[in-house]
Amino acid sequence: MTVEGIVTAEAGRIGLPVQIAIQDATGGLVVKLPDGVRPGRGVRVRVTGKLADPYGQLELRPGTAADVLVEGIEALPDPLPGSAASLGEATEGRLVVLVGTLEASPTRETSGDLVLRLVDDAGLSFRARATKASGLEPTLARTGARLRVTGIVGQRASHKGVLDGYRLWIRDA
């Protein structure tokens, strides 16, 4: 499969292994990068590879660095306004902004990821994550703080074929 899009999250911002998110007017997709390729945010790329869906998240997996072609620089797309209920297949891989109240203080996992548990205005819970590369620290806010978070919708389903485990990957402060 070959797709083209603008890098909305560079390597190191949406978990491991090394992945980027790309987006165009029709949707977003996570790309697992081969060695030696690290296009930055705002770069338009054309990627050829095979589709995979580890833990439910759809990914494109190019075989070599030659399968990722840089085509220029473009403005980033505006994030889609969302809610906890909108986190799902239709928004997976896309840049989204949500507003929520922290249920508990942010915590750092052994992986180094920062985890935020939030509740949106409809009372629905959602999780946001940030890698160490984001520069965010657990002291960013306290329980009860109202936050506007922008990031990439990702998925880590609880079981094969289950549509759950959606989260927002915050790219930076």
Side-chain angles (χ1 to χ4, degrees):
M1 166 179 221
T2 299
V3 297
E4 192 173 311
I6 300 166
V7 176
T8 53
E10 64 274 26
R13 302 302 173 114
I14 57 172
L16 297 172
V18 179
Q19 301 170 330
I20 61 172
I22 63 172
Q23 183 173 323
D24 69 6
T26 64
L29 184 64
V30 171
V31 177
K32 181 180 175 188
L33 294 173
D35 290 340
V37 179
R38 301 294 182 265
R41 202 179 295 179
V43 172
R44 175 170 282 286
V45 293
R46 176 184 292 263
V47 184
T48 301
K50 294 180 180 182
L51 287 175
D53 64 345
Y55 301 103
Q57 178 170 274
L58 187 63
E59 297 178 359
L60 187 61
R61 295 182 169 184
T64 68
D67 294 326
V68 182
L69 302 174
V70 172
E71 297 193 327
I73 306 286
E74 293 193 24
L76 291 173
D78 291 330
L80 298 170
S83 64
S86 72
L87 299 177
E89 292 300 302
T91 56
E92 186 178 303
R94 296 190 79 159
L95 186 61
V96 173
V97 61
L98 293 106
V99 175
T101 302
L102 271 175
E103 288 186 302
S105 295
T107 57
R108 178 95 50 209
E109 292 186 332
T110 56
S111 65
D113 291 348
L114 188 66
V115 178
L116 291 80
R117 295 186 344 234
L118 300 112
V119 177
D120 70 6
D121 291 340
L124 297 174
S125 295
F126 68 96
R127 294 203 188 249
R129 300 177 76 85
T131 66
K132 279 199 153 204
S134 72
L136 295 174
E137 294 295 333
T139 55
L140 74 95
R142 293 184 179 162
T143 302
R146 191 155 169 79
L147 301 176
R148 179 178 185 266
V149 290
T150 302
I152 306 299
V153 178
Q155 182 184 12
R156 186 174 175 94
S158 58
H159 296 84
K160 182 102 174 132
V162 177
L163 298 177
D164 69 355
Y166 297 100
R167 74 268 306 268
L168 189 72
W169 283 100
I170 303 169
R171 301 171 303 167
D172 47 44

